Amino acid sequence: MKFALVIFEKDESRRRIQTDRAAYRKEYEGWIGGLAAAGKLVGGEALETERIAPATVRTAADGTSTVTDGPAHTDEEILGGWFVVDVADREEAVEPARNLPTPETVEIRPFLGSA
């Protein structure tokens, strides 16, 4: 089954990135390397979270849409990226999220075709 491990940056993770980006990246690369070595990593992407602000488009029931600057959800956590893993089940998808060595929140979502 394929699952998305959706990464949400928090204030603490952004502080650590800004303090020592190389060390932070090394922690992440070790974690990603472990997933790849186990044959579970399908892919992933990081999102730009520092230089270009996101835009949010909301469409109403009548078909009109509004565009606002900023993320869709405005709290401490912002969408930072995702990884796709191919594992046996949800429990196996939770394990790499538990082992992420950096202070992000990880939401685990099954792909529709995998459920």
Side-chain angles (χ1 to χ4, degrees):
M1 294 180 70
K2 288 185 183 173
F3 287 83
L5 305 181
V6 184
I7 309 295
F8 291 89
E9 293 179 357
K10 299 189 300 188
D11 290 342
E12 175 60 23
S13 58
R14 286 189 295 280
R15 275 193 293 276
R16 287 180 57 187
I17 290 167
Q18 292 167 353
T19 300
D20 190 346
R21 186 177 300 276
Y24 199 84
R25 186 174 179 107
K26 185 175 182 178
E27 285 183 275
Y28 239 100
E29 288 173 351
W31 179 76
I32 295 165
L35 287 172
K40 297 176 183 180
L41 182 67
V42 175
E45 291 290 334
L47 298 173
E48 168 58 56
T49 60
E50 294 183 51
R51 293 180 289 270
I52 301 171
T56 298
V57 177
R58 287 191 166 80
T59 304
D62 66 3
T64 60
S65 60
T66 58
V67 180
T68 56
D69 290 330
H73 303 282
T74 54
D75 60 7
E76 177 196 350
E77 298 177 329
I78 60 170
L79 182 59
W82 63 88
F83 295 94
V84 177
V85 295
D86 193 356
V87 294
D89 53 30
R90 181 180 174 271
E91 289 71 31
E92 190 176 355
V94 168
E95 283 311 305
R98 286 180 167 216
N99 296 319
L100 182 66
T102 55
E104 281 88 15
T105 297
V106 182
E107 184 173 320
I108 296 103
R109 293 282 190 130
F111 277 49
L112 185 57
S114 290

